[in-house]
Amino acid sequence: LDSRRVYYDRAERYLYFVDAPQDLVIRTIRASLAGMRGVLEFEQLHLDKHRYFNGARRVGLIEEQAKTVLTALRLVGVTATVR
C-alpha cells in the first residue's frame, strides 16, 4: 500500500489505505459518500502491540458504499485491488 493504492477486502468489508487525514484518499472517500447515509469510522492500524508504529488505515464500507468509493478513487488515479 501507498498513497496511490488501496485494497478492498469484500469478505471483511474493509478498505485499507495509507493516507493522512487531509490527503487524497480520505478526502475522496468523504466526498463520494457525502450524500449517503451512514457514519464513517476511519481506524488507524499499528504495526506493533504498543501502538508506536502506524500502519495502514481502514474504513468499513457496505457494498453500495464500496462501489461508489472504488469508482471515485479510480477516477482520481488511485489503483484499487479488490479481493
Side-chain angles (χ1 to χ4, degrees):
L1 294 175
D2 60 36
S3 63
R4 288 294 193 175
R5 294 183 183 274
V6 298
Y7 172 83
Y8 181 67
D9 184 341
R10 281 187 188 151
E12 297 292 325
R13 293 195 216 168
Y14 280 111
L15 178 73
Y16 295 88
F17 57 93
V18 176
D19 203 12
Q22 69 279 6
D23 287 342
L24 180 66
V25 173
I26 291 181
R27 284 184 307 162
T28 304
I29 294 169
R30 285 188 174 134
S32 63
L33 297 179
M36 297 178 97
R37 292 185 175 149
V39 177
L40 293 177
E41 293 186 26
F42 294 95
E43 180 182 359
Q44 177 67 60
L45 303 176
H46 296 87
L47 299 175
D48 65 316
K49 67 180 181 178
H50 302 292
R51 303 171 73 83
Y52 291 135
F53 301 101
N54 290 338
R57 293 179 188 267
R58 73 179 181 180
V59 62
L61 300 172
I62 61 173
E63 187 176 344
E64 295 80 20
Q65 291 174 323
K67 289 178 183 178
T68 302
V69 167
L70 291 171
T71 300
L73 288 170
R74 288 180 180 127
L75 288 171
V76 296
V78 175
T79 301
T81 300
V82 179
R83 301 229 192 242

